[in-house]
Amino acid sequence: TIVVYPGAGHAFFNQERPSYVPEAAGNAWDRLKEFFAKNLKAKAATRTGKAAAAPASGAPGGGRM
């Protein structure tokens, strides 16, 4: 799925830049966590034979990627 956030250019997720758009960053973060939970958690557990770790619940800009 491709999502375009009107008015949000390059680095809209970076709180340290003037281009930061909080609404777009929050939505993108929620969508990313949902994607990871759906597509990575079960696959990681299957590969290792162990339960997958819980995803981080941080907010946009709360850590480095």
Side-chain angles (χ1 to χ4, degrees):
T1 302
I2 296 174
V3 178
V4 176
Y5 299 102
H10 178 75
F12 73 90
F13 202 89
N14 186 340
Q15 289 179 322
E16 297 175 6
R17 296 180 57 117
S19 57
Y20 177 63
V21 180
E23 297 81 16
N27 181 267
W29 183 247
D30 290 341
R31 294 174 62 84
L32 178 67
K33 290 189 299 182
E34 182 180 312
F35 175 84
F36 282 167
K38 179 181 176 184
N39 293 288
L40 298 180
K41 190 173 182 180
K43 292 177 184 176
T46 302
R47 275 195 300 257
T48 63
K50 299 177 184 177
S57 61
R64 302 279 183 217
M65 286 190 188

